[in-house]
Amino acid sequence: MAHALIFMNVVVLLIGSWAAFSLKNRLEHTQEEVLRPVTHHLVFIVAAVFMNLVVRYAYLNLVDDGFATTRPAWMAALVLPGFFVEAGVAWSLIQTAFAFRERRPSRWADRLFLAGIVALGMTLVAGVTIALRGGGVRLLLASYGAVAVAAMVVVVVGLVLMVIGVGPAITPARRRDERVLGLLWLSGWLAFAASPLFPADARSLTATLAWLWLVLAPLVWLKFEFSGPYDRAPGADERTALDTIASTSGITKREREIIELIVQGKSNKEIEELLFISVHTVKNHVYNIFRKLGVTRRGQLVRLVMEAQAQSDIDAGRREV
């Protein structure tokens, strides 16, 4: 069973690495900023899986079950990187929740999180120091346990808030994106948090399956739910919305073409090749488009088109009535 779990963790690690790479490519392709913290959260999950794999391998092949008390240096080598991974998991989730509203965490939130990290970090360092000097690992284990619990509480609370929708109003499509991702990740983290309640073998298997779901969830969300830039040509209604935006904002014909390609999710390099213009010219056009429409990112531009399309549909419905 132990070897099977190690193999499963290797599979999860490979899938998670592939998922993180896929998200990173999609981010570079669309410049949809909400994907950035989602990718970071996934990277920290992959790092946690890697640490879990190292611990399992060490238990099975390098040390005995009592290594926590007999070899404190091993514990120090594991808990210090674990501390940064746990903190990264929590902070990247906070960043994700704020990114859906195109905001950054407030200054007080930054300071509160930093104060908690400093307090837990100092306790952890004290525990490592005492353990390495032969004073036992009780404080070290207690402090790392506190870090793990605090990180889990932040993650679960953050995901619950994403599901129920707290904060400034956002577009219905954006709200649906947030809710679905929150539900997918919340189910995985709750399964992982509940794994210690199971017997030993079932506990390890449940935790591994929870890791697997956590690394797959962003890809499921991205493929079936994410309403960011499309990978298709705009339909008739979307072209009407583009025409409306162009006519009311002083958008030129060339800029109108570039907006349509941005809506399709094309990168600057792809736009250069499709329109036979230099990438420098593309960047100049994109800058002018952003300035005229009052946006700063491609995702904002795409949502502007989507909102214009929705308003156009509403107006059309009223005319029919």
Side-chain angles (χ1 to χ4, degrees):
M1 183 63 177
H3 287 89
L5 286 172
I6 287 180
F7 175 76
M8 289 177 65
N9 274 265
V10 171
V11 172
V12 173
L13 182 64
L14 294 174
I15 294 175
S17 301
W18 168 69
F21 183 75
S22 298
L23 277 174
K24 181 176 181 295
N25 282 344
R26 184 65 178 269
L27 170 63
E28 293 175 349
H29 187 66
T30 64
Q31 297 299 305
E32 177 62 35
E33 284 299 314
V34 74
L35 296 180
R36 192 178 305 278
V38 173
T39 303
H40 293 165
H41 191 64
L42 180 55
V43 167
F44 281 113
I45 292 174
V46 171
V49 174
F50 175 75
M51 287 198 58
N52 184 60
L53 179 62
V54 170
V55 171
R56 290 191 181 282
Y57 183 83
Y59 262 113
L60 190 62
N61 298 286
L62 302 179
V63 297
D64 52 33
D65 291 340
F67 87 98
T69 55
T70 59
R71 304 185 187 183
W74 277 93
M75 282 297 297
L78 292 173
V79 300
L80 290 177
F83 169 75
F84 291 105
V85 170
E86 299 276 3
V89 165
W91 185 240
S92 58
L93 194 279
I94 294 174
Q95 295 281 355
T96 299
F98 277 90
F100 276 106
R101 286 160 178 78
E102 297 182 348
R103 299 175 60 191
R104 295 182 59 83
S106 61
R107 185 173 299 179
W108 70 264
D110 285 340
R111 290 176 176 175
L112 182 62
F113 187 85
L114 181 60
I117 289 297
V118 170
L120 291 171
M122 291 177 63
T123 305
L124 194 68
V125 170
V128 169
T129 303
I130 292 172
L132 293 180
R133 292 186 175 183
V137 296
R138 182 175 299 177
L139 177 61
L140 177 58
L141 294 175
S143 59
Y144 184 68
V147 171
V149 170
M152 184 60 68
V153 169
V154 169
V155 167
V156 171
V157 171
L159 289 171
V160 169
L161 293 178
M162 285 174 60
V163 171
I164 64 178
V166 175
I170 53 179
T171 63
R174 196 75 159 179
R175 179 72 195 93
R176 188 171 58 252
D177 287 348
E178 180 187 38
R179 181 183 293 114
V180 172
L181 180 61
L183 284 170
L184 292 174
W185 260 340
L186 181 61
S187 61
W189 280 115
L190 287 177
F192 180 78
S195 61
L197 302 177
F198 292 89
D201 289 341
R203 178 191 313 153
S204 300
L205 180 60
T206 302
T208 301
L209 293 176
W211 287 129
L212 177 61
W213 176 242
L214 286 169
V215 300
L216 285 175
L219 292 181
V220 173
W221 171 74
L222 195 64
K223 182 172 180 59
F224 296 105
E225 174 54 35
F226 183 57
S227 60
Y230 321 113
D231 285 324
R232 60 177 177 80
D237 291 341
E238 292 154 358
R239 287 199 171 91
T240 300
L242 286 172
D243 292 337
T244 301
I245 291 173
S247 63
T248 58
S249 304
I251 297 296
T252 66
K253 182 179 179 180
R254 176 63 84 185
E255 290 169 350
R256 162 69 172 74
E257 292 175 336
I258 291 176
I259 292 175
E260 183 169 334
L261 292 173
I262 289 175
V263 168
Q264 295 177 44
K266 303 299 184 184
S267 65
N268 286 347
K269 182 66 175 176
E270 290 171 318
I271 294 174
E272 171 195 16
E273 295 171 353
L274 289 169
L275 298 183
F276 303 102
I277 56 179
S278 71
V279 71
H280 178 72
T281 302
V282 174
K283 291 179 179 179
N284 284 339
H285 282 307
V286 172
Y287 171 79
N288 289 329
I289 291 168
F290 284 5
R291 178 178 54 82
K292 291 177 181 180
L293 298 181
V295 299
T296 58
R297 292 190 291 271
R298 292 181 177 223
Q300 292 176 328
L301 173 60
V302 172
R303 283 191 295 279
L304 184 66
V305 174
M306 294 172 67
E307 290 167 0
Q309 176 194 347
Q311 186 60 48
S312 177
D313 292 341
I314 292 173
D315 293 341
R318 289 174 178 171
R319 286 193 296 271
E320 290 177 0
V321 174

